[in-house]
Amino acid sequence: MRLLGNILWLILGGLFLAAGWAVIGLVLCVTIVGIPLGVQAFKMAGLTLTPFGKTVVYGGGVGSVLVNIVWFVLAGVWMAIGYVCAGLLNCITIIGIPFGIQSFKMAKLALWPFGSQIYATR
């Protein structure tokens, strides 16, 4: 299911979304101040490229929480709204439910990316 889900995800737009995240990450990494934000964009690109079979573990310390609050206010809430809307649209049909679940996973990561780790599930 993971392989088929990832292939369909890539064909139906995941490749373009991941490429967009990668470009955003490159642009953010131009300045020293933007490098931490660029790293988070690359994290989103990796999850957006192949979301099936991956899990996100949230953690981090006080520094992560403070930066996540700034991220949430400046960009995270808007990105999460986009992913939630896409997830709701995907969940309209039974076939789209797995894709909607992946969109919801990415919405949560878009809200709180600092201190989170992405792992492949077995």
Side-chain angles (χ1 to χ4, degrees):
M1 176 64 187
R2 278 187 259 174
L3 179 64
L4 180 61
N6 283 327
I7 290 171
L8 286 173
W9 182 270
L10 287 173
I11 292 170
L12 297 174
L15 186 61
F16 295 113
L17 283 173
W21 276 113
V23 168
I24 290 169
L26 288 172
V27 169
L28 287 170
C29 286
V30 169
T31 64
I32 293 174
V33 176
I35 290 174
L37 301 173
V39 169
Q40 302 313 309
F42 290 133
K43 186 185 296 183
M44 289 295 297
L47 183 63
T48 303
L49 192 59
T50 55
F52 289 91
K54 291 185 180 175
T55 186
V56 181
V57 177
Y58 297 91
V62 175
S64 296
V65 171
L66 294 175
V67 180
N68 274 323
I69 291 170
V70 173
W71 174 276
F72 177 85
V73 171
L74 294 178
V77 70
W78 300 109
M79 291 187 296
I81 288 171
Y83 278 119
V84 167
C85 290
L88 290 173
L89 288 173
N90 280 320
C91 287
I92 290 174
T93 65
I94 292 174
I95 295 171
I97 291 174
F99 299 102
I101 291 170
Q102 300 310 312
S103 293
F104 296 142
K105 181 184 355 178
M106 286 183 274
K108 186 175 178 185
L109 183 62
L111 281 176
W112 211 253
F114 288 91
S116 63
Q117 300 292 323
I118 299 172
Y119 295 105
T121 56
R122 296 177 193 223

